[in-house]
Amino acid sequence: MTACPPALLFALLRHLSDGRVHSGVALATGFGVSRATVSNLLGQARAMGLAVHAVRGVGYRLPDAPVWLDAEAVRHALAPEAAGLVLQVRDCVDSTNRRLMADAGAAHGQVLVTEWQPEGRGRRGRRWQAPLGSGLTFSLSWRFETGLQTLQGLSLAVGVALARALRGLGVPVSLKWPNDLVARGRKLGGVLIEAEGDMDGTARVVIGVGLDVRLPAAFAATLGQPVTDLVQLGGTADRNRVLAACLSALHSGLAAFGREGFAAVRADWQALDAHAGRAVRLQLPDGGAVDGRACGVDETGALCLAVPGQGVQRFGAGEVSLRTLE
Ligand code: BTN
């Protein structure tokens, strides 16, 4: 589904999220539409990955209603220093990164978060998909007056900020270079950073984050890589709380990065490194591969690999993927 569903769908789902059974007639009357429309909309919600139970002759209920996004709840839970972030919550946006990148006038600290993102973009040209209500998809626009040339290591610093936020919520998160959030060898979330601007003037970045909060098992099985979610890891399903924690940590992490660069968090990144000291295979964009032992990152955020017979080699962010062999 690449188009946004009707706004009424989200209103209906929020109404249904009290855990009770609602009859088709009551829903149709309440929303001023036909029963067929109600049935059709709830069919769309199912196709978007949300469990909707229909009890014949009785009505509908949501067995696992998500905590829907609520701008007030997020603002309330933000750290005081992050109160200046400008929060926009939307039911559906094609891609939060694309939208913020296209908005050249987006404020410093503009946040766009959406319930449904039909054209979510992942790193390396991949798609980012999440069943309705199962995760968090948001982007943050941020300006650096020191130019693009000072942004080396930014993506790793973002990973550190997010890991701090989630650890603060009791979730044992590590990082897989450059900035995948992982736990117990499974991917929990990813970051896509896009940048524009001058090498030594103003640079603007859009930091996009996709995080699994409560992923239906059937969907997880289709992803072709091991994934996990916050709830499996003992974390909260309250997406507003998780979003506020991530935004608060990003706010302070980006401010520190602006003052001190990657040096501010290099040691923290190494402490969170899921592969430190392990034998890994690095797959290069040209199709080649390098085997070695992961030995952290250098001062620019490049991955360091101890390659047998060739000493320590460094690999630049965004050019490689990492696979453990152990
Ligand atoms: C990855 O491939 O691991 C990075 C995924 C990043 C996905 C997020 S979801 C919110 C933001 N908007 C997008 O279109 N992509 C990012």
Side-chain angles (χ1 to χ4, degrees), residues 286-326:
D286 66 5
V290 181
D291 289 348
R293 195 161 287 278
C295 48
V297 291
D298 74 5
E299 62 288 349
T300 69
L303 179 71
C304 298
L305 275 190
V307 181
Q310 295 175 43
V312 173
Q313 298 202 356
R314 300 162 183 222
F315 298 88
E319 295 175 13
V320 290
S321 64
L322 187 61
R323 291 273 184 274
T324 56
L325 300 176
E326 288 166 348

Side-chain angles (χ1 to χ4, degrees), residues 94-98 117 119-124 126-128 136-139 180 187 189-192 194 207-211:
D94 51 1
S95 152
T96 56
N97 258 44
R98 182 187 294 158
Q117 185 182 238
E119 293 174 50
R121 304 197 287 203
R123 286 176 55 234
R124 302 161 69 80
R126 288 186 289 250
R127 291 188 64 199
W128 182 266
L136 272 175
T137 49
F138 67 94
S139 299
D180 271 1
K187 182 161 172 169
V191 178
L192 175 68
E194 298 179 80
I207 298 163
V209 179
L211 193 60

